[in-house]
Amino acid sequence: MLTSLRARLALARNAFYDYRRYARSSFAITSSGRENRRAIIRILTHYIEGGMSFPDVRLGYGQEKARSIIAKLRAYIADFEPDETVQWAIATLRDYLDYHRAKGAPLPDLEEAVEQLGCQFELAEAADGGGSELVTADAIRAAADVDFTAFLNNRHSVRQYRPGPVDDAVIRKAVANAQQSPNVCNRQTCRVYALNRREDVQRVLAYQAGNAGFRQEIETVFVITSNMEHLNLIGERYQGWIDGGIFAMTLALSLHAEGLGACFLNWSVEMEQDRALRRCLAIPDNELVITMMSAGHLKDEFRVPVSQRKPLEDVLILNPPLT
C-alpha cells in the first residue's frame, strides 16, 4: 500500500512538472513572447497557404485571415525585426494575391497593404517559398524510385561504430533533411543539439541509462527537442511529442541514407534526470526533450538485434466497422 502511494505521488509530481512547462511556455493561456507571436503568424499564414492547395480554391477565401496577418506583421516588426517568418508570410500573401489577380478577382486593398508593408520594411524582395507550388506525379515518382522496403529493412538500431565522429557537414545535411518532416501548421518546433567532440559526447551520454553497454563506441550524439512556445491550444499539449517524434525518425532515416548507423536513446525519465540534462546543455525550459540518438560510422561487419515485428494483422485494422 505504501509503495503504491509513493508511486502515485511520484507520478503526480512528474505530471505537474510537465503541466507547468506547457502552461508557462505555450500560449494556451497567455501570448506575449516573440516565439508565441511568430507561431501565431505561422498558423494564420499556413491557413492561406493550405487553402491554395485545395482542388477547387474558392476565390476571395481567407481575406480576414490575410488582414490579420498584415496587422500582426506590422506589430511584430515594430517590436522586433524582420526574420524568415516575416519573409515567408509576405511571400505567401503575394502568391495569394497573384492567384486572385490571375483569376480576374483582384483584391486591391490587400495588395496595397502588402506592398506598403514590404517596402516600408525593405522587404520588397521577400524570399521565395511562400504560397503553393505546382508539382507533378512524374517528378514525385522519379524521386521515389527506390526500393523503400529494402531501405527500411536494412535500417537497424546500431550500437557498434568505427572510430571517428560524424563530420559537421554530414550532421548539417542530415538535420536539414529532417527539417522536411511534416509538422503542425508549419510551426517547425524542433531543435537539435548535436555533439561530436568525444569528451562532450561522453558527458552527455552519462545522463541516459540505456547506452552504458556501448557508450565508449559513441562519438556523435543528438538531443532532439521541441519548442512549446509555438503551441497554443490545450488540445496541443502532446503536439511537441508528435512533431518531435516525426522529426527524430526522419533524422534517423537521413543518417541511414548517408550510410551511417544510429540508435535511439530513450528519454522517458523523471524530472530530476530531465533537469540535470537541461543544466548540462543549457536547454531552456520552454523546450521539451524528446529523445537522444547516437550515430557513427558503420563497421564492415557487426551484430544487431533481430527485433521481430508483430504480425501485420495485429497492427493494421483495415476498414473497421463504424458505430
Side-chain angles (χ1 to χ4, degrees):
M1 188 66 162
L2 184 58
T3 301
S4 175
L5 179 59
R6 285 173 178 162
R8 288 173 184 274
L9 289 173
L11 178 59
R13 287 178 62 242
N14 280 271
F16 186 66
Y17 175 74
D18 295 335
Y19 157 77
R20 287 186 63 204
R21 176 170 293 108
Y22 191 75
R24 286 194 303 255
S25 303
S26 73
F27 52 110
I29 300 173
T30 60
S31 60
S32 57
R34 180 174 185 172
E35 293 302 313
N36 296 154
R37 291 167 65 181
R38 287 179 73 195
I40 293 169
I41 292 169
R42 282 189 168 271
I43 292 168
L44 294 172
T45 302
H46 191 66
Y47 173 89
I48 297 291
E49 193 175 53
M52 294 179 66
S53 303
F54 292 163
D56 298 304
V57 180
R58 178 174 58 83
L59 292 176
Y61 88 95
Q63 292 184 64
E64 287 305 312
K65 290 284 195 307
R67 292 188 181 92
S68 181
I69 292 168
I70 292 167
K72 285 176 170 42
L73 284 174
R74 286 183 179 133
Y76 179 86
I77 298 172
D79 289 342
F80 307 108
E81 59 184 25
D83 56 25
E84 80 290 341
T85 297
V86 173
Q87 292 179 321
W88 172 58
I90 291 178
T92 299
L93 289 171
R94 285 177 172 163
D95 191 65
Y96 166 81
L97 295 169
D98 288 345
Y99 177 85
H100 281 81
R101 194 183 310 110
K103 293 292 184 179
L107 303 170
D109 59 326
L110 287 175
E111 288 184 14
E112 182 180 358
V114 170
E115 289 314 304
Q116 284 180 351
L117 185 66
C119 293
Q120 180 181 357
F121 297 104
E122 299 180 353
L123 292 170
E125 298 299 326
D128 294 333
S132 63
E133 60 179 328
L134 188 66
V135 299
T136 67
D138 285 345
I140 292 173
R141 291 190 191 103
D145 187 18
V146 297
D147 188 340
F148 193 59
T149 300
F151 178 79
L152 288 178
N153 286 340
N154 280 281
R155 191 209 68 81
H156 304 281
S157 293
V158 177
R159 296 171 174 85
Q160 299 182 42
Y161 308 112
R162 280 196 293 109
V166 177
D167 293 340
D168 290 1
V170 178
I171 290 174
R172 290 179 179 278
K173 182 179 179 181
V175 173
N177 287 340
Q179 286 186 278
Q180 296 301 314
S181 303
N183 60 91
V184 63
C185 298
N186 196 33
R187 282 179 256 178
Q188 302 178 50
T189 66
C190 293
R191 176 173 286 179
V192 180
Y193 296 79
L195 299 99
N196 62 359
R197 292 194 293 264
R198 184 175 182 84
E199 182 179 344
D200 295 343
V201 169
Q202 293 298 306
R203 183 177 170 193
V204 168
L205 288 171
Y207 293 100
Q208 201 275 342
N211 66 81
F214 66 109
R215 184 177 301 168
Q216 293 307 311
E217 299 251 340
I218 303 172
E219 297 189 51
T220 301
V221 70
F222 301 92
V223 178
I224 296 97
T225 70
S226 180
N227 184 357
M228 288 185 292
E229 290 179 308
H230 292 258
L231 304 176
N232 71 315
L233 300 174
I234 293 172
E236 289 183 336
R237 63 194 182 278
Y238 300 122
Q239 192 64 47
W241 295 107
I242 296 166
D243 284 2
I246 294 170
F247 185 99
M249 189 67 245
T250 308
L251 176 60
L253 293 176
S254 299
L255 294 167
H256 179 46
E258 291 299 311
L260 299 168
C263 184
F264 280 91
L265 304 174
N266 188 4
W267 193 248
S268 297
V269 301
E270 296 189 21
M271 58 188 190
E272 291 81 8
Q273 196 169 342
D274 189 72
R275 284 171 173 158
L277 178 68
R278 288 174 180 280
R279 286 192 297 269
C280 178
L281 282 173
I283 298 173
D285 188 62
N286 55 271
E287 293 180 23
L288 182 67
V289 180
I290 304 298
T291 190
M292 284 191 190
M293 188 186 303
S294 65
H297 302 282
L298 296 173
K299 294 181 176 180
D300 291 338
E301 202 173 67
F302 53 95
R303 302 190 71 83
V304 298
V306 173
S307 298
Q308 181 66 46
R309 280 359 187 199
K310 294 179 180 178
L312 182 61
E313 292 73 21
D314 287 0
V315 177
L316 174 63
I317 303 173
L318 187 61
N319 295 321
L322 306 183
T323 59

